[in-house]
Amino acid sequence: QVSGGNEQGLLGLAFHPAYAENGFFFVNYTDRRGNTVVSRFSVTDDPNQADPNSEEIVLTQTQPAGNHNGGHLAFGPDGYLYVALGDGGGGGDTFGNGQNPQTWLGTLLRIDVDQLPYSVPPDNPFAGSPEGADEVWAYGLRNPWRFTFDRATNDLYIADVGQNQYEEVHFQPADSTGGENYGWPIMEGLHCFPETANCSPE
């Protein structure tokens, strides 16, 4: 049920913080149509074997192209599940998603998966606001294929694939309340995109 090759496939896996008790883990994969699926599975009595029939779909996202799927997912120190999604693919933000927090594409999502399919944490930056989708935690991302929470400080680092010249590592401090705009496609790294553009880095 998983498409493979190019930038598709099984792209992320995260164990529930209470995995030792509940046996739940979450995966992010591209299905046979190339769309993103985030699902929950359960372990069997064999601790090295999952139950293939236990899949519960958490969310899906149509992908307009075969690249920039993002794909990583991880639980934050707050116990919520964070899900990275690219801008939809192509080049130069073909589909115009990077600066649109009303779509999931080009964002980092933050959801509560303790009751499926999921609920929205009430302190998400756009929760209940028409300015952005309830699930969006940060936006302006191109292809955030990996991210991690610092175990000592709880700060967040997001690895974002650049267009042609600059790769990016975004930093979000542990006390962030979300809503950050990481700039794509206005900027690539610390530079206007394209570099000949007259952009406002602020």
Side-chain angles (χ1 to χ4, degrees):
Q1 67 197 59
V2 180
S3 61
N6 192 19
E7 297 179 13
Q8 300 178 336
L10 174 61
L11 302 177
L13 183 151
F15 292 96
H16 191 281
Y19 176 76
E21 290 77 42
N22 61 31
F24 296 148
F25 65 94
F26 294 77
V27 295
N28 186 330
Y29 65 90
T30 47
D31 67 16
R32 300 296 293 178
R33 296 171 296 171
N35 297 321
T36 291
V37 179
V38 173
S39 290
R40 188 188 78 182
F41 283 87
S42 299
V43 71
T44 63
D45 291 338
D46 177 351
N48 297 312
Q49 182 71 44
D51 178 359
N53 298 314
S54 67
E55 181 176 20
E56 297 279 353
I57 293 177
V58 175
L59 60 83
T60 61
Q61 171 63 54
T62 301
Q63 292 287 353
N67 61 341
H68 299 187
N69 296 289
H72 191 60
L73 74 173
F75 284 90
D78 53 13
Y80 294 131
L81 183 65
Y82 290 72
V83 181
L85 290 162
D87 66 4
D93 195 16
T94 300
F95 303 99
N97 293 315
Q99 289 298 303
N100 180 11
Q102 294 178 333
T103 178
W104 289 353
L105 295 171
T107 74
L108 185 66
L109 305 181
R110 177 180 183 248
I111 57 175
D112 184 342
V113 292
D114 279 344
Q115 292 195 355
L116 296 187
Y118 67 86
S119 60
V120 174
D123 59 346
N124 270 13
F126 300 110
S129 167
E131 296 180 6
D134 290 348
E135 298 85 353
V136 170
W137 178 250
Y139 66 106
L141 297 166
R142 184 174 183 271
N143 188 21
W145 74 291
R146 290 290 181 266
F147 62 89
T148 190
F149 290 93
D150 188 305
R151 295 181 191 179
T153 66
N154 292 337
D155 296 328
L156 173 63
Y157 294 87
I158 307 169
D160 198 3
V161 181
Q163 174 82 18
N164 293 321
Q165 293 182 278
Y166 306 103
E167 309 290 7
E168 302 183 17
V169 178
H170 304 297
F171 172 77
Q172 187 183 82
D175 61 358
S176 168
T177 56
E180 282 87 348
N181 178 358
Y182 287 109
W184 176 254
I186 296 172
M187 301 183 72
E188 182 188 9
L190 300 176
H191 306 267
C192 292
F193 179 82
E195 289 196 83
T196 55
N198 180 22
C199 74
S200 173
E202 290 77 15

